[in-house]
């Protein structure tokens, strides 16, 4: 696999990560209202909270996202320095997940979303005593 294709794959993984964190919380809150038991599953909730809180702490500590860093490194290795050298899919996904806003906006957004995820543990409690298979 060449570096440009690997960078596109990283963009796709990054997009799926964002999708999991955002839609996961939407499903948790909707599931609480609609009595969906699967949104109370311990493993799902802990993985989801971990994914969201990782981003919040990275932002709080001023750490640049490792997926973005890896993608940029691969693009540089492939000689892709502009949006025009990315594949169509990579450009599309970039436009969906990256915005040109101040870092402080994202810090507030990530910390607020992290707080909502923590609050959802009280609004839609986890089934800590679920039976193992």
């Amino acid at each position: 696999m060449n570096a440009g294709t690997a960078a596109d794959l990283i963009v796709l993984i990054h997009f799926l990560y964002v999708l999991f964190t955002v839609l996961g919380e939407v499903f948790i809150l909707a599931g609480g209202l609609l009595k969906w038991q699967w949104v109370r599953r311990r493993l799902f909730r802990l993985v989801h909270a971990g994914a969201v809180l990782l981003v919040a702490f990275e932002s709080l500590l001023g750490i640049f996202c490792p997926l973005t860093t890896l993608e940029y490194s691969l693009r540089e290795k492939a000689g892709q320095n502009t949006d025009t050298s990315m594949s169509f899919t990579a450009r599309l996904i970039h436009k969906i997940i990256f915005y040109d806003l101040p870092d402080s906006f994202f810090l507030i957004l990530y910390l607020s979303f992290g707080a909502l995820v923590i609050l959802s543990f009280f609004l839609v409690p986890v089934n800590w005593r679920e039976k193992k298979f």
Side-chain angles (χ1 to χ4, degrees), residues 16-121:
L16 293 173
Y17 188 96
V18 171
L19 205 59
F20 171 69
T21 59
V22 173
L23 288 182
E25 187 62 19
V26 169
F27 285 134
I28 289 166
L29 295 174
L33 293 173
L34 299 171
K35 309 277 191 243
W36 295 341
Q37 291 306 306
W38 69 268
V39 299
R40 297 175 187 275
R41 296 205 54 143
R42 179 179 51 224
L43 181 61
F44 168 65
R45 295 293 291 278
L46 292 175
V47 170
H48 179 259
V52 171
L53 295 177
L54 175 67
V55 173
F57 284 123
E58 283 176 349
S59 182
L60 187 62
L61 298 173
I63 298 171
F64 202 63
C65 175
L67 290 173
T68 303
T69 302
L70 178 58
E71 180 213 340
Y72 289 172
S73 173
L74 288 167
R75 293 220 182 276
E76 188 174 292
K77 183 177 179 182
Q80 299 178 343
N81 295 325
T82 64
D83 282 352
T84 57
S85 62
M86 284 194 249
S87 71
F88 169 76
T89 305
R91 280 195 315 274
L92 180 65
I93 293 172
H94 255 267
K95 289 179 192 234
I96 293 170
I97 64 176
F98 291 111
Y99 296 92
D100 189 20
L101 295 168
D103 290 343
S104 59
F105 172 83
F106 291 104
L107 175 63
I108 293 167
L109 176 69
Y110 298 150
L111 292 178
S112 299
F113 195 68
L116 175 62
V117 168
I118 291 169
L119 179 63
S120 72
F121 275 86

